[in-house]
Amino acid sequence: MKTSIRDISRITGFSPATVSNALNYKKGVNQQTAEEIFRVARETGYISENAIRKIKLIIFRKNGLIIDDTPFFSALINGFETECRKYGYEMVLCNVDQRKEDYKKQLQATLNETGSAVVVLATEMLDEDLDPFRIAPCPVLVMDGWTDQMDFNAVLINNEDSARMATEYLYQKGHRKIGYIRSSFRIRAFRSRFYGYQSALRKFRLDFDEKNVFTVTPNLNGAYHDMLRYLEKRSSLPTAFFADNDLMALGAMKAFQEKGYRIPEDISIIGFDDLPFSEISNPALTTLKVPNTEMGQLAVRRMVDIIKKKDLINVKIQVCTKFVIRDTVRDLSK
């Protein structure tokens, strides 16, 4: 006989109304209570994971500043789709936007659908945005995001080590005044890159100066205009910059060049992502290449393990970047 809400109520000690509200993501049920109800619902078979045939890729948008203006994610999605086909799962692409009035209803419907597992592209997520996924009735994996509570499987970029490597490269090329082009929208990935930048400065006993941190909008046009405003007020600049991503690096480069600075003769710069047009910029951008296609594939493979092997151990997989040397760093050590 199929488990009922009354059965779950009897086992957990919570009222049928509370059980029903939790399972339908209604307000008024605290997280600890909801987690216990979902645990019992899964163990008793009220929620079944045996018939999973779909893997949903949820594209989460908080403001679209990161997701919407870059081709980075198309390769990741292609890798995800290819791997789903390989393992016989249907891929479903879902877009959820926190700015929409029906965001909560849209998200609940996506998470509650039976026969599905969920991978959420958490690039724009802050920690609190992951709360609805903690009590999801289906397997969940976080991609390009992480939480210190370690309650999710995750596939993400090794951001901190990559940024440290880039900053160390600038030091090895003779740069001692190294600036940082910082995104105004502080997602976890960018915070980790900042830690890597600071770690390299400490390693080489270079002073960290807040004046050398230039905060810009995390897209091409925004970074260009924001950097122009900085340059109108600044006469002295670092000899080199590490930027949170390629779009900010390229936008800043355009502003530098417009104000008469030569790259790399006057200012060196390193980006992050290795977007397709970074290779054809003038000069070509030195950057960190992210294996985005492989990230999508890894996320699917990890989810398949969770579904088929009932693997309940949370695993954090960090993919390493590859340093791509082009033409935007001057060697001052010679």
Side-chain angles (χ1 to χ4, degrees):
M1 183 180 294
K2 182 175 172 61
T3 304
S4 68
I5 285 179
R6 290 194 177 276
D7 293 327
I8 298 173
S9 172
R10 177 177 49 78
I11 295 169
T12 61
F14 300 117
S15 71
T18 299
V19 173
S20 177
N21 287 341
L23 294 174
N24 288 286
Y25 294 89
K26 292 184 178 178
K27 294 181 180 179
V29 183
N30 68 50
Q31 185 175 327
Q32 187 174 358
T33 298
E35 287 177 353
E36 175 64 11
I37 289 169
F38 274 109
R39 183 188 66 79
V40 172
R42 280 189 287 266
E43 289 180 355
T44 58
Y46 184 86
I47 296 172
S48 175
E49 296 176 358
N50 294 327
I52 291 176
R53 295 291 180 265
K54 301 177 185 176
I55 301 181
K56 294 183 178 181
L57 177 57
I58 296 180
I59 310 295
F60 173 89
R61 285 175 174 82
K62 195 172 187 72
N63 53 31
L65 285 173
I66 310 297
I67 295 289
D68 290 343
D69 286 324
T70 172
F72 173 89
F73 298 101
S74 59
L76 185 149
I77 293 169
N78 288 339
F80 191 96
E81 185 176 19
T82 299
E83 210 69 4
C84 281
R85 274 200 307 269
K86 175 181 174 181
Y87 285 98
Y89 289 92
E90 178 187 352
M91 175 195 166
V92 179
L93 189 62
C94 306
N95 288 284
V96 295
D97 193 326
Q98 202 176 57
R99 296 166 294 183
K100 303 291 186 182
E101 288 185 7
D102 65 343
Y103 163 72
K104 289 185 178 179
K105 184 182 294 186
Q106 186 181 7
L107 184 60
Q108 288 170 10
T110 301
L111 294 177
N112 280 332
E113 184 182 352
T114 58
S116 298
V118 164
V119 175
V120 55
L121 183 59
T123 306
E124 291 193 354
M125 278 187 161
L126 304 180
D127 285 357
E128 60 268 22
D129 298 323
L130 280 164
D131 286 345
F133 294 87
R134 289 187 168 90
I135 56 172
C138 58
V140 174
L141 181 144
V142 175
M143 185 160 52
D144 200 28
W146 180 243
T147 165
D148 292 335
Q149 295 182 36
M150 297 184 287
D151 45 2
F152 290 103
N153 282 274
V155 176
L156 62 154
I157 303 163
N158 190 340
N159 290 292
E160 186 170 345
D161 289 341
S162 299
R164 184 177 65 246
M165 177 173 63
T167 309
E168 287 180 359
Y169 178 79
L170 291 171
Y171 179 88
Q172 291 159 2
K173 293 299 180 182
H175 296 274
R176 298 297 180 265
K177 191 175 180 183
I178 302 171
Y180 178 65
I181 298 175
R182 174 186 185 271
S183 167
S184 58
F185 180 34
R186 299 312 292 161
I187 60 174
R188 179 173 286 273
F190 291 159
R191 294 201 303 268
S192 295
R193 292 171 199 179
F194 185 52
Y195 297 150
Y197 160 78
Q198 290 181 307
S199 175
L201 296 186
R202 287 193 298 270
K203 177 179 178 179
F204 297 116
R205 294 183 172 83
L206 298 179
D207 292 332
F208 170 72
D209 189 343
E210 190 70 41
K211 293 179 181 178
N212 293 330
V213 177
F214 290 42
T215 302
V216 302
T217 306
N219 57 42
L220 189 66
N221 197 48
Y224 161 68
H225 287 290
D226 291 340
M227 186 57 73
L228 280 179
R229 283 190 282 272
Y230 275 112
L231 297 177
E232 288 169 1
K233 303 173 184 177
R234 291 285 296 266
S235 56
S236 175
L237 294 173
T239 63
F241 285 92
F242 169 71
D244 266 337
N245 70 17
D246 283 359
L247 292 176
M248 286 179 268
L250 293 169
M253 278 173 55
K254 186 175 185 293
F256 290 141
Q257 291 168 327
E258 193 169 297
K259 289 295 184 179
Y261 293 96
R262 298 167 302 162
I263 297 173
E265 291 84 0
D266 301 321
I267 296 175
S268 296
I269 191 164
I270 295 177
F272 200 114
D273 286 339
D274 192 31
L275 299 179
F277 39 78
S278 298
E279 188 175 5
I280 59 173
S281 63
N282 186 23
L285 180 65
T286 294
T287 186
L288 292 150
K289 182 178 181 63
V290 177
N292 40 11
T293 300
E294 290 79 3
M295 273 185 68
Q297 294 171 332
L298 275 171
V300 172
R301 288 201 291 270
R302 178 59 192 148
M303 181 56 77
V304 170
D305 282 345
I306 295 168
I307 296 168
K308 291 189 173 180
K309 299 179 182 178
K310 303 297 181 185
D311 191 340
L312 301 179
I313 298 173
N314 288 336
V315 174
K316 177 184 182 182
I317 301 171
Q318 293 194 82
V319 298
C320 297
T321 58
K322 179 181 178 182
F323 199 58
V324 180
I325 299 173
R326 295 196 180 107
D327 304 324
T328 55
V329 176
R330 181 184 177 188
D331 191 346
L332 299 179
S333 65
K334 295 178 180 178

